[in-house]
Amino acid sequence: MAITGTSKITPDKRLDMRVIFTRTVKVFSQGKLQGQFPVRNLSLGGLFIEGIHDIPVGQDCRLELYETGNRSSLILKFTGTVRRKTEEGIGIIFTGMEDDSFMFLQTMVLYSSDDPIGVAVHFFEDFVPKFEPAP
């Protein structure tokens, strides 16, 4: 899997916009399928999965999301690390994904956002190099 970009989520501050995401994801940890669980929210940096409690903070995992459309289906694959754990589930920070998975994430965040223009500006800012003014 190719790593696409770097995450901007820190323990104290989330910089990536989170959106409601009502799909399920298959979670694999230590080479075993842990099950299929509902996702509460999603960002370009990670997601929160409800109902799973068996994976400790700091543990790496693999995620598979099945997206089915009218004419095609995708299996989106991500790698991540459990960043936080609550009574409701676990928060995972993405550590790697394929390019098509990253494009899917961008599309989901854009179309699920209450502020799609703000999201598009955020995407643009991430890809435009920031130059120092000439002396």
Side-chain angles (χ1 to χ4, degrees):
M1 279 185 185
I3 294 178
T4 304
T6 59
S7 176
K8 296 180 183 175
I9 295 177
T10 63
D12 301 320
K13 187 175 182 182
R14 292 182 182 136
L15 297 178
D16 292 321
M17 180 179 293
R18 292 197 173 262
V19 296
I20 302 296
F21 189 72
T22 55
R23 298 212 176 65
T24 58
V25 64
K26 283 188 179 180
V27 179
F28 298 83
S29 177
Q30 297 182 325
K32 292 183 359 184
L33 175 64
Q34 301 298 312
Q36 191 163 332
F37 302 92
V39 175
R40 176 188 296 171
N41 60 45
L42 173 74
S43 77
L44 294 181
L47 53 84
F48 188 85
I49 303 171
E50 295 181 328
I52 185 168
H53 305 287
D54 299 337
I55 304 176
V57 171
Q59 179 72 45
D60 292 331
C61 54
R62 186 171 54 87
L63 308 170
E64 289 183 359
L65 178 72
Y66 296 82
E67 185 65 21
T68 305
N70 290 336
R71 297 185 181 159
S72 65
S73 298
L74 291 172
I75 301 174
L76 304 164
K77 297 178 182 181
F78 309 91
T79 57
T81 301
V82 176
R83 175 55 67 91
R84 69 185 181 101
K85 191 172 180 177
T86 71
E87 291 179 8
E88 299 167 342
I90 58 174
I92 294 181
I93 185 171
F94 294 131
T95 57
M97 66 187 72
E98 296 170 348
D99 289 340
D100 59 344
S101 297
F102 186 66
M103 286 186 282
F104 173 81
L105 280 179
Q106 287 181 314
T107 303
M108 287 297 98
V109 171
L110 181 65
Y111 285 109
S112 299
S113 170
D114 291 337
D115 180 20
I117 293 172
V119 171
V121 168
H122 180 73
F123 291 167
F124 181 71
E125 289 172 349
D126 283 348
F127 292 105
V128 174
K130 296 183 175 48
F131 295 101
E132 294 292 323

